[in-house]
Amino acid sequence: MYTYSFEKLEVWIEAKEFTKKLYSVTNNFPDSEKFSLVSQLRRASVSVCSNIAEGSARNTNKDKAHFTTMAFGSAVEVLNQIIISFELGFINNNVYQELRLLIESITNKLNALRNYQINK
């Protein structure tokens, strides 16, 4: 089976694993949040790894960097929603801290990837 270039990127692997973790965490949110915060969190987290994948298929480094920037923006959007979820009491401090650390790792790798793409 063919392996696409994005599947080899550590940041894509982390973002995909983060998304799976977030799906699990949001299963415990109140039912009233199913179509609001849960949906927003899930879509934004999927957007991170999707933008990494889509950017890898672009021809120019400028285009690739653009999609990496979009992935970074989605990661920060997820962080914002995680903060809100914590403050509303939907996640406990341990989960909150774990998710923040994972987002920090992903955003650091996205910054490094974008810098590589721009300077290549």
Side-chain angles (χ1 to χ4, degrees):
M1 183 183 322
Y2 181 78
T3 301
Y4 289 87
S5 62
F6 72 87
E7 294 177 281
K8 300 171 190 171
L9 292 172
E10 190 175 321
V11 67
W12 177 80
I13 294 166
E14 277 191 38
K16 176 182 60 80
E17 293 304 315
F18 177 84
T19 298
K20 290 168 29 181
K21 170 84 175 163
L22 194 64
Y23 264 72
S24 176
V25 167
T26 56
N27 279 334
N28 299 320
F29 277 41
D31 288 341
S32 62
E33 292 300 321
K34 184 176 181 182
F35 298 108
S36 53
L37 197 51
V38 170
S39 177
Q40 285 285 96
L41 273 162
R42 289 178 173 184
R43 284 185 295 129
S45 68
V46 168
S47 180
V48 176
C49 46
S50 295
N51 277 304
I52 295 166
E54 186 173 354
S56 74
R58 298 300 168 151
N59 290 326
T60 68
N61 287 330
K62 183 178 179 183
D63 279 345
K64 291 176 192 231
H66 171 72
F67 279 90
T68 302
T69 300
M70 290 173 53
F72 185 92
S74 292
V76 173
E77 178 182 352
V78 170
L79 175 59
N80 171 67
Q81 294 163 357
I82 289 169
I83 293 168
I84 292 168
S85 298
F86 173 66
E87 291 180 359
L88 289 172
F90 299 154
I91 55 176
N92 66 37
N93 188 56
N94 290 339
V95 171
Y96 172 68
Q97 294 299 329
E98 179 185 3
L99 294 174
R100 276 197 78 110
L101 286 173
L102 293 170
I103 286 286
E104 183 179 344
S105 176
I106 291 166
T107 55
N108 286 341
K109 286 179 175 66
L110 286 170
N111 271 333
L113 178 60
R114 184 175 182 277
N115 288 336
Y116 171 77
Q117 291 164 331
I118 288 172
N119 296 318
K120 189 174 175 185

